[in-house]
Amino acid sequence: LSPLETMLNEHFENDAIKATLGCWTLANFSKMSDIGSGIYLTVLTGIHNFGVKRPVGGTGQIARALAVCATTHGAEIRVNAPVDKIIVRNGKATGVALKSGEEIKAKQVIGSVDPIILGTKLIEASDLPRSTHMQLEALKGNIAPINVVKIDLALRKRPTFSGFGHENVHPEVLGGVTLPESTDELRAIEDLCAQGTYDKKKLALITYMPSIFDRTLVPDNSEGEYMYINACNVPYKLSEGRSWENHLNDYVDGAIDTVERYAPGFRDLIIDVHAVAPDQFEKKYNNFRGNYAQVNMSSPSELGPWRPIPDFGNNKTPIDGLWNASAGSHPVPYLNGWAGRIVAGEILKILK
């Protein structure tokens, strides 16, 4: 539960390594000095020891494979059918009501959404005990106003990061490049974020080029690359009444200039750019404050069976027949399938 900064100072001497790992606090939506921010190093340790599998064609292929499996076994998948609320009768979930007015009955209901959204927008307040409302309000307060800007880029060819002083860098190294180079620079970026602003000349970026390993992400026989950038320590809301709608292009311009410093000619390689600001991420994916992990990972209650709150612990809710299987539920966030597997196993026991 120590701050990441403390752990880095204890175990590393090279400041560039510290800054690289410091950028990964974005996964915890926290600052290096925040209590509990060091816990993400355990995730990096697991990645180092066991590796990470990425499906050919991108992570969307996971959803497509699950859809094929489900429909093959008789499931019906509805899209463009937003849910208005969970139907609860006598303390038991009996189905969902769509915004169209249609009601769908079910013996068991799984809320695969942000637990804050589930508990505050999809369930009638009277259907949850007071303790749950209090826990959800406390959880809201723990979601830091620190976020990311996601930038996707189509490139004509692979950039050369000669700015690091190495001309012949192995392609695998370019799969993930972390900026900035010093912890002092990262702290300055964190301080600006806390003030609700940024300096486009001082940005903390992690660039990824998955097309180096997966050529299905680019056209056949193309020299191009697909890159995406996670810009770390970005304020959820800008100060002085400014909006991301009016400043996103400026931020993206600064991010491109930052990469250009290390990869001369990078800007000329860009075919197209698509960026998503924190508030846009919140609206598009219905995550509270745009937090893609939905719930932080900086305390035992946010990582153990009580994740995200005691009343939603072990993927259950106070409502009989209503489950939460999402990034914000037990056991951990990100693309791993654990929450869904746990809930599916429990429901199969009930239905047998």
Side-chain angles (χ1 to χ4, degrees):
L1 299 180
S2 297
L4 178 61
E5 189 172 43
T6 301
M7 297 182 68
L8 293 178
N9 288 333
E10 286 179 359
H11 298 286
F12 298 94
E13 295 180 358
N14 187 292
D15 196 58
I17 295 296
K18 294 179 185 179
T20 296
L21 295 174
C23 272
W24 283 92
T25 54
L26 77 92
N28 221 12
F29 291 84
S30 59
K31 299 170 64 176
M32 290 193 300
S33 57
D34 287 348
I35 297 294
S37 58
I39 202 166
Y40 192 73
L41 286 181
T42 60
V43 177
L44 295 182
T45 301
I47 291 173
H48 179 75
N49 287 333
F50 307 111
V52 174
K53 289 181 170 58
R54 179 185 173 90
V56 174
T59 53
Q61 296 300 327
I62 298 175
R64 293 186 181 93
L66 289 173
V68 170
C69 180
T71 53
T72 299
H73 287 83
E76 178 186 351
I77 298 176
R78 300 276 295 273
V79 296
N80 298 319
V83 173
D84 183 53
K85 67 176 182 178
I86 309 294
I87 300 172
V88 180
R89 292 191 174 92
N90 299 319
K92 177 175 174 55
T94 59
V96 297
L98 305 184
K99 289 187 180 295
S100 65
E102 178 185 359
E103 293 190 0
I104 301 175
K105 295 182 179 180
K107 294 179 179 179
Q108 301 286 324
V109 178
I110 304 172
S112 186
V113 296
D114 185 317
I116 293 177
I117 302 300
L118 177 65
T120 61
K121 293 187 176 181
L122 296 180
I123 303 173
E124 296 282 358
S126 58
D127 289 325
L128 288 174
R130 183 170 178 270
S131 64
T132 306
H133 290 295
M134 294 176 65
Q135 291 170 25
L136 287 170
E137 286 301 311
L139 181 62
K140 284 182 182 180
N142 288 338
I143 307 298
I146 300 172
N147 221 293
V148 300
V149 166
K150 171 83 177 327
I151 307 170
D152 295 279
L153 305 103
L155 306 177
R156 289 185 176 84
K157 65 178 184 178
R158 187 174 301 169
T160 302
F161 282 81
S162 58
F164 286 112
H166 304 284
E167 293 294 336
N168 298 314
V169 178
H170 194 282
E172 289 188 4
V173 176
L174 299 180
V177 178
T178 306
L179 310 170
E181 293 186 67
S182 72
T183 51
D184 285 344
E185 188 176 350
L186 187 54
R187 288 189 199 94
I189 294 167
E190 291 178 339
D191 290 341
L192 288 172
C193 177
Q195 298 169 38
T197 190
Y198 64 89
D199 180 348
K200 62 185 294 184
K201 295 182 179 180
K202 293 180 180 180
L203 302 178
L205 310 177
I206 304 178
T207 70
Y208 304 88
M209 277 193 288
S211 55
I212 290 177
F213 310 98
D214 181 4
R215 298 308 291 172
T216 67
L217 298 175
V218 296
D220 291 341
N221 302 316
S222 168
E223 293 184 347
E225 298 288 358
Y226 161 57
M227 174 186 281
Y228 68 95
I229 300 173
N230 277 340
C232 322
N233 297 101
V234 176
Y236 167 68
K237 284 187 177 181
L238 295 172
S239 59
E240 300 178 352
R242 296 173 299 161
S243 70
W244 275 114
E245 182 179 4
N246 295 328
H247 287 80
L248 181 58
N249 288 340
D250 179 67
Y251 191 97
V252 171
D253 188 64
I256 293 173
D257 282 344
T258 299
V259 178
E260 177 82 21
R261 291 202 299 270
Y262 297 93
F266 175 74
R267 184 178 286 274
D268 293 336
L269 299 179
I270 298 173
I271 299 172
D272 201 6
V273 180
H274 177 263
V276 181
D279 56 349
Q280 295 170 338
F281 196 95
E282 180 177 37
K283 292 175 184 176
K284 184 174 183 178
Y285 298 106
N286 224 1
N287 288 355
F288 184 71
R289 288 185 179 167
N291 186 320
Y292 62 71
Q294 298 179 357
V295 176
N296 295 348
M297 300 187 299
S298 55
S299 72
S301 64
E302 294 168 345
L303 277 176
W306 278 8
R307 177 178 173 86
I309 57 174
D311 282 6
F312 278 13
N314 288 314
N315 305 98
K316 300 178 181 179
T317 73
I319 298 171
D320 185 27
L322 176 61
W323 307 78
N324 182 213
S326 66
S329 67
H330 175 67
V332 292
Y334 312 126
L335 295 171
N336 52 63
W338 282 353
R341 182 181 179 87
I342 291 171
V343 170
E346 292 300 311
I347 290 178
L348 285 173
K349 294 177 185 176
I350 295 172
L351 296 180
K352 282 183 179 179

